[in-house]
Amino acid sequence: KERGEDDELYTELYERYLQDANRTGPPAAYPTFTAALRSLDYTPKRLTKEARERDAEKCDAWLAAVKRRFKSSQLICVDEVGSDKRTTNRNVGHSKRGTRATGKQHFHKGRRYSALGVYTCDSAFVDAYIVKGGFNSALLRQGVERAVLPHMNPYPGENSVLVWDGASIHGCREVIEMVLDTGALVLFLEPYDPQHMPIEIGFRALKKWMRKHRELIMHMRRQPDHSALLGERPQRRLADPERRIS
């Protein structure tokens, strides 16, 4: 089995395993390896998912090139994020030792919303464009026109370099030309590289806030007009693929 960068760890663990087996006889595999991990100062953590297709060298080279060429104040990061009822589900809880930690969870997705977030390194989220369902090319053009372009400036001014990933919808010629017509630049991430996208930090914080305040969100969803969840100007930013809410 290929072990890659974990070779040294596996080798050291196996040596610990053999030492214990020679001293006390063949031990149970799981307790031995968990004890060996603790002795090596490894602790259980929630996995950070990383695509196997990601080329770490190219991604690091991309980041180094961006740092050399641009200032953080010049970058404006744009990406989509989705949310439904399950977004507020918690994955971690507490209970007394020997008892299960249980909680009420949403099993059905319900209505899904998607947001085009606009994020800067200096001011975090500066705008968003929210739609029911998902984005298509037409809705992306609307979102960029209404939520992104008002914050962009000609290069090399502040907020003059739009950064987003290489999703196929982001390659829409009309959208790119809209950005270039402002005098700004468009910069694509390397494939499978969300680690170098600052807006992902904001999205994680946003979803954490939603889980923390899930009772408030559930209460607001029960209101006749739960579009208040979408911010102080929900009707201006809410788009419906079938009809425009004025």
Side-chain angles (χ1 to χ4, degrees):
K1 181 180 179 181
E2 295 183 3
R3 294 194 291 261
E5 61 185 16
D6 292 330
D7 250 356
E8 293 183 4
L9 171 61
Y10 277 92
T11 300
E12 193 166 356
L13 283 174
Y14 188 62
E15 289 175 353
R16 294 286 184 95
Y17 179 86
L18 290 178
Q19 291 172 7
D20 287 349
N22 291 332
R23 187 171 56 252
T24 63
Y30 181 76
T32 300
F33 272 86
T34 53
L37 282 169
R38 287 196 298 271
S39 70
L40 295 171
D41 202 26
Y42 281 79
T43 58
K45 299 178 180 68
R46 181 175 295 179
L47 286 175
T48 299
K49 298 179 182 178
E50 183 175 304
R52 290 186 181 274
E53 298 83 355
R54 181 177 184 267
D55 189 322
E57 291 186 3
K58 286 185 177 180
C59 294
D60 291 342
W62 179 92
L63 180 62
V66 169
K67 287 183 175 180
R68 287 195 303 269
R69 182 176 178 185
F70 305 112
K71 300 177 182 178
S72 61
S73 60
Q74 293 176 306
L75 306 180
I76 183 166
C77 305
V78 177
D79 202 3
E80 300 86 15
V81 65
S83 176
D84 54 40
K85 286 184 177 181
R86 296 178 301 179
T87 304
T88 58
N89 288 347
R90 294 180 62 183
N91 300 318
V92 179
H94 295 82
S95 66
K96 287 188 175 295
R97 190 182 302 275
T99 63
R100 291 179 180 272
T102 61
K104 298 290 185 180
Q105 303 277 22
H106 290 290
F107 278 51
H108 296 284
K109 295 187 297 184
R111 172 172 283 176
R112 184 171 181 80
Y113 292 90
S114 297
L116 184 71
V118 186
Y119 187 96
T120 67
C121 297
D122 296 334
S123 304
F125 285 107
V126 295
D127 213 333
Y129 187 76
I130 301 174
V131 301
K132 294 177 182 177
F135 278 93
N136 55 30
S137 297
L139 290 174
L140 180 65
R141 288 196 299 271
Q142 290 181 20
V144 170
E145 181 180 7
R146 301 184 186 188
V148 180
L149 296 186
H151 301 281
M152 300 207 69
N153 300 303
Y155 181 79
E158 293 186 356
N159 300 340
S160 60
V161 181
L162 185 148
V163 182
W164 58 9
D165 60 41
S168 58
I169 194 173
H170 294 164
C172 177
R173 182 180 298 274
E174 293 182 24
V175 174
I176 294 177
E177 288 179 351
M178 288 169 57
V179 177
L180 296 179
D181 286 345
T182 67
L185 304 181
V186 178
L187 183 64
F188 289 91
L189 288 166
E190 284 292 322
Y192 306 103
D193 190 28
Q195 290 90 331
H196 292 153
M197 184 58 154
I199 196 173
E200 295 296 336
I201 300 173
F203 285 153
R204 288 197 295 270
L206 174 61
K207 291 187 175 182
K208 182 178 180 180
W209 183 92
M210 293 177 69
R211 289 192 293 271
K212 181 178 180 181
H213 298 88
R214 60 192 179 282
E215 297 298 333
L216 171 63
I217 293 175
M218 290 172 60
H219 170 74
M220 297 181 72
R221 278 184 175 140
R222 290 192 289 267
Q223 304 306 309
D225 180 12
H226 63 264
S227 62
L229 281 172
L230 306 181
E232 297 180 357
R233 299 174 296 173
Q235 294 181 341
R236 177 181 173 185
R237 292 296 179 208
L238 181 63
D240 190 314
E242 298 180 357
R243 67 181 180 84
R244 181 68 187 163
I245 298 179
S246 59

